[in-house]
Amino acid sequence: MSDELHDTDNLPAALTSTPTSRRGFLRTASMTALGAGALVACGKASVAEAASEASTSPAGPPPAPLSPRAAADAMDAMHEKGIKAFPAKTEGKGNQIMAPRIEKGVKVYDLTAKVVQWELEPGRTAEAWTFNGVVPAPQIRVKEGDRLRINLKNELPESTSIHFHGLELPNDQDGVPFITQPPIKPGDSYVYEFTVPNAGSHMYHSHHNSAKQVSMGLLGAIIVEPKDKSGEPKVDVDYVLILNDGAHGFTLNGKSFPATEPIVAKLGQKVRIRYMNEGMMIHPMHLHGMHQTVIAKDGWPQPQPWKCDTLNIAPGERWDVIVNCNNPGTWAFHCHILPHAESEHGMFGMVTALIVQK
Amino acid sequence: MSDELHDTDNLPAALTSTPTSRRGFLRTASMTALGAGALVACGKASVAEAASEASTSPAGPPPAPLSPRAAADAMDAMHEKGIKAFPAKTEGKGNQIMAPRIEKGVKVYDLTAKVVQWELEPGRTAEAWTFNGVVPAPQIRVKEGDRLRINLKNELPESTSIHFHGLELPNDQDGVPFITQPPIKPGDSYVYEFTVPNAGSHMYHSHHNSAKQVSMGLLGAIIVEPKDKSGEPKVDVDYVLILNDGAHGFTLNGKSFPATEPIVAKLGQKVRIRYMNEGMMIHPMHLHGMHQTVIAKDGWPQPQPWKCDTLNIAPGERWDVIVNCNNPGTWAFHCHILPHAESEHGMFGMVTALIVQK
Amino acid sequence: MSDELHDTDNLPAALTSTPTSRRGFLRTASMTALGAGALVACGKASVAEAASEASTSPAGPPPAPLSPRAAADAMDAMHEKGIKAFPAKTEGKGNQIMAPRIEKGVKVYDLTAKVVQWELEPGRTAEAWTFNGVVPAPQIRVKEGDRLRINLKNELPESTSIHFHGLELPNDQDGVPFITQPPIKPGDSYVYEFTVPNAGSHMYHSHHNSAKQVSMGLLGAIIVEPKDKSGEPKVDVDYVLILNDGAHGFTLNGKSFPATEPIVAKLGQKVRIRYMNEGMMIHPMHLHGMHQTVIAKDGWPQPQPWKCDTLNIAPGERWDVIVNCNNPGTWAFHCHILPHAESEHGMFGMVTALIVQK
């Protein structure tokens, strides 16, 4: 892993030198895993074969099988390349805090739902349905009692809506077409406006044709700070981590390893991680080296904090944890459903790191 | 959504006017989802195509593609029809409290295991294996310390048995063929009799060839009220909600949306929901508009109540929650694994509503 | 079920008398279940057909269909055979406590990673990747503050490493190739050495090509007893139960029912079960007859114990529970995802029993 977080200048060269590319394989592996057959597929795909193919010209005779050691070296080289590439640069970054306009005391956010091409990891780009062109959508951070207005312009080819998942809003702001509002047609605009109710880690996402629209990227975080902060833990890093497993494969904040973002803290600091699952599967997130202290579920404080190292996060859930960064080093941090995180060709998908700097 | 809960008189006409029927699609979608490929399938199924097909005669020339707005309108119309049909009338209603006969102080329940045709939603009927012809089976409500007798007549083509899941019974009443009793052969009868032990939200279901028999419908709730009710919350509505995902697709109390039953309460009332998962998958149940306070797991009180809006319920688990109905309106209430709840053709499967009336 | 736990002498004869063998079917069923299609497959596979085929010569005319009662008898006979065979003898037993060598105060464990043939249930053997030839690996039991050394010899055809899942080690002992150490090449050896940090129920497993290597068997338990035992429950049986669902199908401690091991206790005794999930799926473990009191998550005490009868265990998680054995008898104990535990041909996979002897 590079000391400098973005020193990935030599990444494309490294990867393009392998005709049977790591990236192509991973795209396939990720899709296969959705059908729960990933492991079997991995078991049959021979790294030795892949490496042999990589070392001969396409038109040449069938290659001789590699020796076990050479096959192991070939596999390890792919693993190493992935890790050395981390964190890999890609176009676009989602989940960044968006500053509102203030209009007569109202915090106003302008969102446009639109289709873009989204780079998931170097060289792997897919169609994404987004708010403001990014996956996850811009992060909204407000306070209990704030007056909030969302101007939504729909530039998608389908109708849409926004549900503020976790906020206890008046019914007409709940965002469910034909139950609380009409669908917002392509080309139309719609305004949500409300006083922010309950504090906590919440989400906003499409609630129309949602199995497709959320999978394609119409999702983001809305974090509500409490009026009374006396019960809030004091932390040095406050990090929102959105898990997904839909049309874009296995992602953390809209990117797949090695393009995921490490969390960086200094020794002795405290990190708050706000997990959110926008996918269709559970993801038990395992942090190496330090435990996680669970403090809230769906924005509500747990009656007493409790500790774990692997926290199971189901679709629609949010969990807030605190990590006491008392163990220096670069720590793997990944979903522990292993086919969501590693294949014979190296780590991919739902992998990142917590870097505790001395 | 109709103000009158059962005003669905015009439903059949509405649906049959769509040659590519919403219902036909959903049946397929539900089955595909069991193979975890639902979303991809949805992504490829073109609503525009379906709508185009619907607007031309089968023998006519290939239709011109719809404009984006017309395609959106066609999709939205399917969504609207589903929601307007809710709660749709169907034949048969399970999970209703069954009154026992009293014989010399013993509460006696007569159950017949038999095969019936079961209407899951309007126009979709499937073979079901049932106790007394309904899915879920009749709800049994008894008290700690009651003497209980179950007379079971087996009219199925297979042997069967009943396991009282959660009750700490004497071993010979546990219902596991070849471990605690012989299987009950087709045509035979069997008697379970015991003093009701631990209180709480429990289940009864077949424990023979159970992956098939439970999936087909041999399941129901047994609720045991505690002798000492001082620790019980006072509620206005006490609702058992059984989740399933087997041979009948994604169901709530044996029905698929729009034939699911809404929970209805008045503003200010308290609702107790007793979740039970009789399926093979987790179902994180998300309530809009209000949080859920978790008070018990598998019939045992949690040490302290805790709050959430999305509660993950695994197969075999029961969770009891309280909802304080302080937010008026019709609130979507659904599994947050989105392909269990919505497709391009609208909501289906594990969707219902909590209606809080002013 | 046999009174004598290992009285299975007549098992092979019993099974080989069934031409359409139970074992062959289960192997298939287990693999199919990984693709989530098990139930559908079961629904279509006709026991009557299987039984009919079994009763005629392969070259004979198509058999007459069995009467319902004869079909039920044929199915029940397969169920009975499985249960009567339990606990079936197989070659090899994993998860047994390994005594260390002591070298100058250091507890030294010698592990060899190697490929073996592993018997999963009578007559079903598969390639396994193991530490010391057994699945799960030898159980390591140490104390907080112990000095521990692991000498690992890699005789696999791939590179490997060991991650001590749950232990808060110095970074260079964390076992992640290219992040904290080089991969250990085929034929090479490697030494891990550290002072044992946090107490609790932990795991050790490969962290290289792990989706394959862990699935194939490179996993085991490391139990760390606390220095201060005042908070530890006093128990009569301390049992580690490792769940897996990978290349070997659905297993408990490396074996499939009926070759799983029952837990045996006397009436009035307390059993501590340390669940560990090394698979890719959740497994909600349901104990009949008695509840489970949950005391720890991932080795960390829960703030307050809580009760359940079905505990959902996600990949990478460990949960410690106490069972008060106050109900005599042989109690089914199984994953409640029913297709992980039973098919038309009887119980298989993730089933065992808790036997409470008077």
Side-chain angles (χ1 to χ4, degrees):
Chain A
M1 182 168 302
S2 56
D3 285 336
E4 230 184 289
L5 295 186
H6 289 281
D7 177 15
T8 56
D9 289 354
N10 60 352
L11 172 69
L15 283 172
T16 52
S17 68
T18 309
T20 299
S21 86
R22 192 178 168 277
R23 284 170 292 167
F25 174 83
L26 293 181
R27 185 162 51 252
T28 311
S30 170
M31 291 300 106
T32 308
L34 290 172
L39 191 69
V40 175
C42 292
K44 285 181 182 170
S46 158
V47 166
E49 279 172 43
S52 295
E53 283 167 19
S55 63
T56 60
S57 70
L66 293 183
S67 72
R69 177 60 183 254
D73 288 346
M75 178 192 285
D76 296 351
M78 285 188 287
H79 283 244
E80 185 175 16
K81 272 179 193 166
I83 287 171
K84 285 285 187 288
F86 174 78
K89 276 183 189 165
T90 48
E91 280 298 308
K93 184 174 180 181
N95 196 30
Q96 307 213 71
I97 296 174
M98 182 185 191
R101 283 185 289 119
I102 309 294
E103 290 184 5
K104 297 183 181 173
V106 178
K107 292 186 174 174
V108 180
Y109 293 86
D110 297 317
L111 296 179
T112 301
K114 61 181 176 185
V115 179
V116 301
Q117 290 296 309
W118 183 249
E119 193 175 23
L120 293 154
E121 59 183 298
R124 184 160 73 92
T125 296
E127 182 179 311
W129 291 29
T130 71
F131 295 114
N132 292 7
V134 287
V135 184
Q139 190 183 126
I140 296 176
R141 286 232 171 204
V142 289
K143 281 187 187 146
E144 235 182 317
D146 278 354
R147 189 72 187 171
L148 187 64
R149 187 182 307 138
I150 309 271
N151 296 314
L152 174 60
K153 176 87 197 314
N154 180 12
E155 297 184 355
L156 302 170
E158 293 180 3
S159 298
T160 194
S161 75
I162 296 179
H163 169 58
F164 299 90
H165 179 111
L167 290 188
E168 305 192 347
L169 296 175
N171 193 255
D172 61 3
Q173 300 300 308
D174 195 45
V176 183
F178 302 113
I179 296 184
T180 69
Q181 66 166 82
I184 308 166
K185 300 282 181 183
D188 287 0
S189 291
Y190 195 84
V191 181
Y192 295 93
E193 183 167 333
F194 50 82
T195 299
V196 176
N198 50 313
S201 302
H202 304 300
M203 308 194 287
Y204 66 101
H205 51 223
S206 163
H207 209 286
H208 189 60
N209 195 19
S210 58
K212 175 184 175 184
Q213 293 192 3
V214 174
S215 167
M216 291 293 281
L218 287 166
L219 61 97
I222 177 164
I223 308 298
V224 180
E225 291 171 15
K227 268 184 186 167
D228 174 4
K229 291 193 166 188
S230 64
E232 287 281 288
K234 285 181 184 57
V235 298
D236 302 286
V237 178
D238 185 332
Y239 197 86
V240 174
L241 187 55
I242 303 182
L243 320 173
N244 213 344
D245 51 42
H248 298 150
F250 298 110
T251 59
L252 299 176
N253 287 339
K255 302 284 177 176
S256 291
F257 186 88
T260 48
E261 182 187 49
I263 303 174
V264 183
K266 292 195 190 313
L267 189 61
Q269 288 190 327
K270 286 191 185 183
V271 173
R272 178 181 191 154
I273 301 170
R274 301 174 188 258
Y275 294 105
M276 305 185 172
N277 187 336
E278 286 280 19
M280 298 170 284
M281 308 173 191
I282 59 152
H283 298 292
M285 292 297 295
H286 175 51
L287 175 64
H288 289 220
M290 289 154 291
H291 56 273
Q292 315 180 43
T293 301
V294 180
I295 58 167
K297 166 79 171 84
D298 298 345
W300 300 98
Q302 287 272 284
Q304 290 180 268
W306 52 277
K307 296 176 184 175
C308 66
D309 56 61
T310 306
L311 185 63
N312 187 29
I313 299 146
E317 289 190 328
R318 291 90 63 213
W319 287 96
D320 287 25
V321 305
I322 301 291
V323 179
N324 234 319
C325 297
N326 60 5
N327 202 356
T330 294
W331 299 100
F333 182 22
H334 59 91
C335 176
H336 211 278
I337 297 181
L338 299 176
H340 298 185
E342 195 174 25
S343 79
E344 294 211 344
H345 291 236
M347 290 186 188
F348 76 100
M350 303 183 112
V351 178
T352 186
L354 171 58
I355 302 176
V356 179
Q357 298 172 328
K358 272 188 201 174
Chain B
M1 181 167 301
S2 54
D3 286 335
E4 231 184 289
L5 296 186
H6 288 283
D7 175 14
T8 57
D9 290 353
N10 60 350
L11 174 68
L15 283 172
T16 52
S17 68
T18 308
T20 300
S21 87
R22 192 176 169 277
R23 283 168 294 167
F25 174 83
L26 294 180
R27 183 164 53 253
T28 311
S30 171
M31 291 300 107
T32 309
L34 291 173
L39 191 68
V40 175
C42 291
K44 285 181 182 170
S46 159
V47 166
E49 280 172 42
S52 295
E53 283 167 19
S55 63
T56 59
S57 70
L66 294 183
S67 71
R69 177 61 184 255
D73 288 345
M75 179 192 283
D76 297 351
M78 284 188 287
H79 283 245
E80 186 175 14
K81 272 179 192 164
I83 287 171
K84 286 285 188 287
F86 174 78
K89 278 183 189 165
T90 47
E91 280 299 308
K93 183 172 179 183
N95 196 31
Q96 306 213 71
I97 296 174
M98 183 184 189
R101 281 185 290 118
I102 309 294
E103 292 184 5
K104 296 184 183 174
V106 178
K107 292 186 174 175
V108 180
Y109 294 86
D110 297 317
L111 297 179
T112 301
K114 61 181 175 184
V115 180
V116 301
Q117 290 296 310
W118 183 249
E119 193 176 22
L120 294 154
E121 58 184 299
R124 185 160 73 90
T125 296
E127 182 179 313
W129 291 29
T130 71
F131 294 115
N132 291 7
V134 288
V135 184
Q139 190 182 125
I140 296 175
R141 287 233 170 201
V142 289
K143 282 188 185 145
E144 236 182 316
D146 278 353
R147 190 71 185 174
L148 187 64
R149 186 182 307 139
I150 309 272
N151 296 314
L152 174 61
K153 175 89 196 312
N154 181 12
E155 297 184 356
L156 302 170
E158 293 181 3
S159 298
T160 194
S161 75
I162 295 180
H163 169 57
F164 299 89
H165 179 112
L167 291 188
E168 306 192 346
L169 296 177
N171 193 254
D172 62 4
Q173 300 301 308
D174 196 45
V176 184
F178 302 113
I179 296 185
T180 70
Q181 66 166 81
I184 308 166
K185 300 284 181 182
D188 285 1
S189 291
Y190 195 83
V191 180
Y192 295 93
E193 182 168 334
F194 49 83
T195 299
V196 176
N198 51 311
S201 302
H202 304 301
M203 307 193 288
Y204 66 101
H205 50 223
S206 163
H207 209 287
H208 188 60
N209 194 19
S210 58
K212 175 183 175 184
Q213 293 193 2
V214 175
S215 166
M216 292 293 281
L218 288 166
L219 60 97
I222 177 165
I223 308 298
V224 180
E225 291 171 17
K227 267 185 189 168
D228 175 4
K229 291 193 165 187
S230 64
E232 287 282 287
K234 286 181 184 56
V235 299
D236 303 286
V237 179
D238 185 331
Y239 197 86
V240 173
L241 187 55
I242 303 183
L243 320 173
N244 213 345
D245 51 41
H248 299 150
F250 298 111
T251 58
L252 300 176
N253 286 340
K255 302 284 176 173
S256 291
F257 185 88
T260 49
E261 181 187 48
I263 304 174
V264 183
K266 294 196 189 311
L267 189 62
Q269 289 190 326
K270 286 191 183 182
V271 174
R272 178 181 191 153
I273 301 170
R274 303 174 186 257
Y275 294 106
M276 307 186 170
N277 188 335
E278 284 281 18
M280 300 170 284
M281 310 173 190
I282 59 153
H283 299 290
M285 292 298 295
H286 174 52
L287 175 63
H288 289 221
M290 288 153 291
H291 56 273
Q292 314 180 43
T293 301
V294 181
I295 58 166
K297 166 79 171 85
D298 298 347
W300 300 99
Q302 288 272 284
Q304 290 180 266
W306 53 276
K307 296 176 184 175
C308 67
D309 55 59
T310 306
L311 185 63
N312 187 28
I313 300 145
E317 289 190 329
R318 290 90 63 213
W319 287 96
D320 287 25
V321 305
I322 302 291
V323 178
N324 233 319
C325 296
N326 59 5
N327 203 356
T330 295
W331 299 99
F333 182 23
H334 59 92
C335 177
H336 212 278
I337 298 182
L338 299 178
H340 297 186
E342 195 175 24
S343 80
E344 294 211 344
H345 292 238
M347 291 187 187
F348 76 100
M350 303 182 113
V351 179
T352 186
L354 172 57
I355 301 176
V356 179
Q357 298 172 327
K358 273 189 200 172
Chain C
M1 182 168 300
S2 56
D3 285 334
E4 230 184 289
L5 295 186
H6 289 282
D7 176 13
T8 57
D9 290 352
N10 60 351
L11 174 68
L15 283 172
T16 52
S17 68
T18 308
T20 301
S21 87
R22 193 177 168 279
R23 282 169 295 166
F25 174 84
L26 294 180
R27 183 163 54 254
T28 311
S30 172
M31 291 300 107
T32 309
L34 290 172
L39 191 67
V40 175
C42 291
K44 286 180 182 171
S46 158
V47 166
E49 280 172 42
S52 296
E53 283 166 20
S55 63
T56 59
S57 70
L66 293 184
S67 72
R69 176 61 183 256
D73 287 346
M75 178 192 285
D76 296 351
M78 285 189 286
H79 283 245
E80 186 175 15
K81 272 179 192 167
I83 287 171
K84 287 284 186 289
F86 174 78
K89 276 182 190 165
T90 48
E91 281 298 307
K93 184 173 180 182
N95 195 31
Q96 307 213 71
I97 297 174
M98 182 185 190
R101 282 185 289 119
I102 308 294
E103 290 183 6
K104 296 183 182 173
V106 178
K107 292 185 174 174
V108 180
Y109 294 86
D110 297 317
L111 296 179
T112 301
K114 62 181 175 185
V115 179
V116 301
Q117 290 295 310
W118 183 250
E119 192 176 22
L120 293 154
E121 58 184 299
R124 184 160 73 91
T125 297
E127 182 178 311
W129 291 29
T130 70
F131 296 114
N132 291 6
V134 287
V135 184
Q139 190 182 124
I140 296 176
R141 287 233 171 201
V142 289
K143 280 187 187 145
E144 235 181 318
D146 278 354
R147 190 72 185 170
L148 186 64
R149 187 182 306 140
I150 309 273
N151 296 314
L152 174 61
K153 177 88 196 314
N154 180 11
E155 297 184 356
L156 302 170
E158 293 181 4
S159 299
T160 195
S161 75
I162 295 179
H163 169 58
F164 299 90
H165 179 111
L167 291 187
E168 305 193 347
L169 296 175
N171 194 255
D172 62 2
Q173 300 300 308
D174 194 46
V176 184
F178 303 114
I179 296 184
T180 69
Q181 66 165 81
I184 309 165
K185 299 283 181 181
D188 286 1
S189 292
Y190 195 83
V191 180
Y192 296 94
E193 182 167 334
F194 50 82
T195 299
V196 176
N198 49 313
S201 302
H202 304 300
M203 308 192 288
Y204 66 101
H205 50 222
S206 164
H207 210 285
H208 189 61
N209 194 18
S210 58
K212 175 183 175 184
Q213 293 192 3
V214 175
S215 167
M216 292 293 282
L218 288 166
L219 60 97
I222 177 165
I223 307 298
V224 179
E225 290 171 17
K227 267 184 187 167
D228 175 5
K229 292 194 166 186
S230 63
E232 288 281 287
K234 285 180 184 59
V235 299
D236 303 286
V237 178
D238 186 332
Y239 197 85
V240 174
L241 185 57
I242 304 182
L243 320 174
N244 214 344
D245 50 42
H248 298 150
F250 298 111
T251 58
L252 300 176
N253 287 339
K255 302 284 177 176
S256 291
F257 185 88
T260 48
E261 182 187 49
I263 304 174
V264 182
K266 293 196 190 311
L267 189 63
Q269 288 191 326
K270 286 190 184 184
V271 174
R272 178 180 190 154
I273 301 169
R274 302 174 188 258
Y275 293 105
M276 307 187 170
N277 187 336
E278 285 281 18
M280 300 170 283
M281 308 172 191
I282 58 152
H283 298 292
M285 292 297 294
H286 175 52
L287 176 63
H288 289 219
M290 289 155 290
H291 56 273
Q292 314 180 43
T293 301
V294 181
I295 59 167
K297 166 78 172 85
D298 297 347
W300 300 99
Q302 288 273 284
Q304 291 180 265
W306 52 277
K307 296 176 184 176
C308 66
D309 56 61
T310 306
L311 185 64
N312 186 28
I313 299 146
E317 290 190 327
R318 290 91 62 213
W319 288 96
D320 287 26
V321 305
I322 302 291
V323 178
N324 234 321
C325 297
N326 60 5
N327 203 356
T330 294
W331 299 100
F333 183 22
H334 59 91
C335 176
H336 211 279
I337 297 181
L338 299 177
H340 297 186
E342 195 175 25
S343 80
E344 294 212 343
H345 291 236
M347 291 187 187
F348 75 101
M350 302 182 112
V351 178
T352 185
L354 172 57
I355 301 175
V356 179
Q357 299 172 325
K358 273 189 198 172

